[in-house]
Amino acid sequence: MKERILITGNNGELGSKTLKKLLSIGKSVIALDINDPKEKIHSVKYIKDTITNKQLINSIFNDYHISEVYHFAALLSQSASQNPELAFEINEKSSKNLIDCVYNFGIRNNCITRFFFPSSIAVYGPRKIKNASEQDIIKPTTIYGNNKLIIEQYGSKLHEKSISKKIGLDFRSIRFPGVISYDTVPSGGTTDYAPQMINCAKKGEKFECKLSPKTKLPFIGIDQTISSIIDLMNLEIIESKFRVFNVQEASFSVKELSDFLSKKFPSFQIAYNEDKNFQSVADTWPSSLNCKKANKFWNFTTEKDFEVFLEKIINK
Ligand code: SER
């Protein structure tokens, strides 16, 4: 059977870029998304279906030799709060099922399959902390944060069961801060205000901000996001029971971002219309992350100066 990598949520920001990166290094990919692909690439086997379809997921593992899984299909934080039942089905139940399939596949075929799970700063809480380390206080207050934490723990548990026999699942996860792309404008997340604001400033449009000016959050650019995923997945062994890593490139407040954009784009205007659904979430997420562990394992480097970071994103 031919080896394939499975990517779920290939239409999303992370899924689409990871897919392209994997193709560029010669991998064969099966891509599962609830929608038709935004861009069809000839060599990719696309499946249009929901991640909640258990039968389908089982059949993928019967029909193909899945060598790695990148599981991006999810509802983001604000969408999850608006639809908690669906968030449970997609973010939690379906993720557990996929992890079980990978584990059972490994047992059946006497192999260990690497599984990438994008976790989030949403697992932190209930109070905002600075320079959060992976093992700092983790009591998420949101549905989304809880979904992510449960999957971090579930994946780590099955990893533990697998690793001594080297059969089953090799679970690897990154807790992402806000991700900023230069060519897509995401929605459905709490940190999405930043790419949305940058997009408005570039177009000379006014931006209505749902967070207060002093709200500070960590961010990473899409290039470092994708290279972190690939670097983490390419590590031969990760000598750590704790399977989750923090990454960030810069951390800045809403006002710091808007001041930066006003200097660059003098016609840019911002209006504040605080929304408690957004503010109450952002107030429980860390203002910055400690990335020492990522630095140790794959030499992840953080861009400390937020203006240098933003400059790079805007000029891309
Ligand atoms: N960027 C995500 C969100 O805001 C956090 O993981 O929902």
Side-chain angles (χ1 to χ4, degrees), residues 10 26 51 67-68 100 105 113 118 142 145 186 241 245 311-312:
N10 54 279
I51 187 77
S67 57
E68 285 178 11
D100 286 343
F105 175 84
T113 302
T142 59
K241 268 194 176 183
F245 297 82
E311 194 78 48
K312 261 200 258 167

Side-chain angles (χ1 to χ4, degrees), residues 76-77 120 144 176-178 189-191 285:
L76 283 182
S77 56
S120 160
Y144 177 73
F176 285 113
T190 307
T191 56
W285 291 1

Side-chain angles (χ1 to χ4, degrees), residues 76-82 120-129 139-146 188-193 210-212 215-218 274-287:
L76 283 182
S77 56
Q78 292 297 324
S79 312
S81 302
Q82 279 157 23
S120 160
I121 51 168
V123 299
Y124 290 100
R127 270 172 290 284
K128 203 175 208 27
I129 51 173
K139 279 199 179 151
T141 56
T142 59
I143 307 277
Y144 177 73
N146 273 300
T190 307
T191 56
D192 293 343
Y193 86 86
K210 294 178 175 157
L211 293 175
S212 70
T215 311
K216 194 167 181 177
L217 288 164
E274 205 176 300
D275 180 329
K276 72 171 185 341
N277 294 324
F278 283 73
Q279 193 64 50
S280 63
V281 172
D283 286 343
T284 69
W285 291 1
S287 56

Side-chain angles (χ1 to χ4, degrees), residues 155-163 169-171 240 243:
S156 303
K157 194 179 82 190
L158 283 192
H159 174 90
E160 199 55 33
K161 254 174 98 175
S162 308
I163 208 71
L169 168 101
D170 182 338
F171 184 79
S240 172
R243 308 301 297 165

